[in-house]
Amino acid sequence: GLAAARARGRLGGRPRKMDTSTIRVAMNLMADPKAVASEIAKRLNITTTTLYEYVNSDGSLKERGKKIVNGLK
């Protein structure tokens, strides 16, 4: 069933909360040393944990964030 669905172009699973534009906004906001991660996460409608999965506290990308921005799965 899953192979047939993939053959039809269906991927399945829960959609990601973070896309390229959200990651870029998060990077810019996190680059501010006075920024509070919980406030940024609330503003982006994500959890702090999700924020830190993609972006470091200095605004640089983590590996998972790089995959999204570079268009990899």
Side-chain angles (χ1 to χ4, degrees), residues 33-52:
K34 297 177 185 174
V36 178
S38 61
E39 293 295 322
I40 293 170
K42 194 178 297 184
R43 181 174 173 185
L44 297 174
N45 197 27
I46 59 174
T47 64
T48 307
T49 303
T50 301
L51 177 64
Y52 279 120

Side-chain angles (χ1 to χ4, degrees), residues 6 11 14 18 22 29 37 40 45 47 49 64 67 70:
R6 287 188 188 111
L11 295 177
R14 182 177 179 166
M18 299 288 276
T22 308
L29 293 172
I40 293 170
N45 197 27
T47 64
T49 303
R64 196 167 188 180
K67 288 181 181 179
N70 294 331

Side-chain angles (χ1 to χ4, degrees), residues 7 24 26 28 38 44 58 60 70-71:
R24 291 190 192 281
N28 289 333
S38 61
L44 297 174
D58 63 355
S60 62
N70 294 331

